Amino acid sequence: MDDKEKIDDINKLIDSELINFTRELDNVKSLSELESIKTKYTGKKSFLTVTLRNIGSLPGQLRPIIGNKSNAARKKIEADILKKEQILKGVEYEKKLREENIDLSLPGRGIKAGKKNIISSVIEEIEEIFIGMGFEIAEGPEVETDYYNFEALNTPADHPARSLHDTFFVSDRVLLRTHTSPVQIRYMEKNKPPIFIIVPGKVYRRDYDVTHTPMFTQIEGLVVDKGINFGNLKWTIETFAYEIFGKKRKVRFRPHYFPFTEPSAEVDVSCNICGGKGCRSCSGSGWLEILGAGMVDPNLYKFVGYDPEEVSGFAFGMGIERICMLKYGIDDLRLFFENDLRFIDQF
Ligand code: DAH
């Protein structure tokens, strides 16, 4: 066999390999079928791979001719396989979609992002208002002793005011704080006047109905310095109330009693639903109570080593849930703790 015959011979084999490949490829219906064709025509034992591997055994002048022809054939085969693969993948994807019944025209479900609880947002808002007036933020423990929760707040064991607090006791002298007021004592013990603090935190009482939950949130305020008077208290509370509820609301102070303040007051804002005329929300009074306050009873100073002749102060305490309810017109306190997204999402 001379060179020309040899070339013709191999060329024919390559051509018929291509013809076979094209015919078989046409019949391929799945990716797995395609995979076996790929092995058959480009794998280690395929005609083209073997030809290219053995090219060294051909006479030198034949090598480039056979090499080029084989490489071109192999490239064509690989390109055709790739093309077919893309077609089949599209077909299989659509088949999968059809089988899984995915309706691409349906609106997406979206991802629910977490958000700040309304109580936290209102605490932050209140903190901002008081920080703007020069107050600092302080904290104290939720598990408290009888001493700080009652005794040092002028509420000894036999004091009638104790029965107003339905206390959770941990042991005889240890309890869950019923208010944030004990932090007044803790802070005064560790610091000297001037004191300007607010104290946000959780408090606990054995209560459960539309307006009471066993855990709720309070913010306490305490100011102690030389020459602090009731006028300072009034200005501070009014400024706060206008900031949080808006300037249109009226604010009034009503005489009240707390063991740790003297004189004491409860503070109301005018009802926003009836504008002060009286309605169901304000029980016909036109007013809604927002907090308790008063001048620090000088008796407290002896528990912390202050001289009552030297300093005076005022304190106030409010329930955050109540402030939220009045601000947003929410009528059931329990909604804050039920984690119903339909409620939470509104804020
Ligand atoms: N601790 C009181 C309560 O939980 C609220 C309160 C009233 C706090 C008057 C005060 C205050 O600091 O001066 O009902």
Side-chain angles (χ1 to χ4, degrees):
M1 223 198 284
D2 62 14
D3 283 358
K4 182 155 170 1
E5 277 171 341
K6 198 152 196 162
I7 289 171
D8 279 350
D9 202 30
I10 296 184
N11 274 348
K12 261 189 218 137
L13 285 173
I14 293 176
D15 286 341
S16 76
E17 182 80 355
L18 276 177
I19 290 166
N20 289 340
F21 166 75
T22 312
R23 206 190 50 238
E24 284 186 43
L25 190 70
D26 277 348
N27 291 327
V28 163
K29 297 259 165 349
S30 71
L31 284 168
S32 65
E33 279 172 35
L34 184 67
E35 197 53 39
S36 48
I37 298 253
K38 194 174 169 183
T39 316
K40 182 169 172 191
Y41 287 96
T42 63
K44 274 192 208 132
K45 291 185 191 138
S46 67
F47 171 73
L48 285 173
T49 308
V50 174
T51 307
L52 282 163
R53 197 187 308 129
N54 293 336
I55 207 141
S57 62
L58 290 174
Q61 65 279 23
L62 294 189
R63 287 181 204 163
I65 301 167
I66 305 295
N68 284 341
K69 176 94 180 167
S70 307
N71 270 324
R74 202 189 151 95
K75 278 215 179 88
K76 179 177 162 33
I77 289 175
E78 282 171 351
D80 285 356
I81 286 177
L82 195 67
K83 224 186 277 166
K84 186 84 179 189
E85 186 180 326
Q86 274 156 359
I87 292 168
L88 284 176
K89 273 191 176 154
V91 170
E92 301 213 343
Y93 180 64
E94 276 181 19
K95 185 162 159 246
K96 205 168 156 218
L97 285 186
R98 244 179 288 122
E99 279 168 4
E100 289 179 357
N101 263 332
I102 294 176
D103 180 353
L104 291 176
S105 66
L106 274 179
R109 293 226 175 82
I111 298 163
K112 285 248 181 241
K115 56 174 81 154
K116 210 171 271 175
N117 185 289
I118 177 69
I119 302 293
S120 306
S121 310
V122 170
I123 289 178
E124 280 172 22
E125 194 181 336
I126 295 173
E127 285 176 351
E128 287 302 317
I129 294 170
F130 282 102
I131 286 170
M133 291 193 261
F135 282 68
E136 280 174 44
I137 295 166
E139 278 182 354
E142 288 171 30
V143 180
E144 202 32 295
T145 60
D146 186 283
Y147 175 79
Y148 288 106
N149 197 79
F150 291 121
E151 197 134 347
L153 286 167
N154 232 4
T155 320
D158 55 356
H159 198 288
R162 282 210 183 196
S163 60
L164 299 176
H165 293 220
D166 293 304
T167 311
F168 284 111
F169 282 95
V170 175
S171 66
D172 208 20
R173 312 286 302 163
V174 180
L175 43 82
L176 301 186
R177 67 178 177 193
T178 58
H179 51 178
T180 41
S181 304
V183 187
Q184 289 189 29
I185 303 297
R186 286 186 176 275
Y187 195 86
M188 285 194 283
E189 274 181 346
K190 293 221 172 73
N191 298 273
K192 292 265 157 277
I195 288 171
F196 288 81
I197 55 161
I198 55 161
V199 184
K202 294 190 177 77
V203 301
Y204 302 85
R205 290 185 201 175
R206 294 175 45 186
D207 244 340
Y208 191 59
D209 61 33
V210 202
T211 51
H212 298 90
T213 46
M215 190 271 303
F216 61 104
T217 324
Q218 285 189 335
I219 289 192
E220 189 78 13
L222 177 69
V223 168
V224 184
D225 201 358
K226 286 193 175 118
I228 298 293
N229 57 40
F230 203 94
N232 303 136
L233 165 61
K234 202 154 177 272
W235 179 85
T236 307
I237 297 300
E238 281 172 356
T239 304
F240 160 71
Y242 293 142
E243 287 276 337
I244 193 111
F245 293 115
K247 293 243 175 357
K248 289 208 185 89
R249 310 286 283 272
K250 292 199 197 74
V251 179
R252 78 170 181 188
F253 283 63
R254 235 177 334 103
H256 198 74
Y257 171 79
F258 295 106
F260 33 89
T261 43
E262 181 58 37
S264 304
E266 269 188 343
V267 179
D268 303 333
V269 291
S270 53
C271 176
N272 57 333
I273 293 171
C274 60
K277 284 191 209 74
C279 67
R280 218 168 54 106
S281 286
C282 55
S283 317
S285 72
W287 295 96
L288 298 160
E289 181 218 320
I290 55 164
L291 54 82
M295 300 307 292
V296 176
D297 190 315
N299 242 344
L300 264 59
Y301 297 136
K302 76 167 193 262
F303 287 98
V304 297
Y306 287 5
D307 180 358
E309 298 298 322
E310 189 125 312
V311 292
S312 57
F314 65 79
F316 55 89
M318 67 187 102
I320 303 306
E321 288 80 2
R322 190 172 164 78
I323 301 281
C324 283
M325 288 168 89
L326 298 180
K327 196 170 155 71
Y328 294 107
I330 299 159
D331 57 8
D332 188 338
L333 183 64
R334 291 171 293 198
L335 285 168
F336 289 117
F337 308 106
E338 280 167 359
N339 287 332
D340 186 333
L341 284 176
R342 291 169 302 178
F343 174 73
I344 293 170
D345 275 348
Q346 294 177 84
F347 303 101

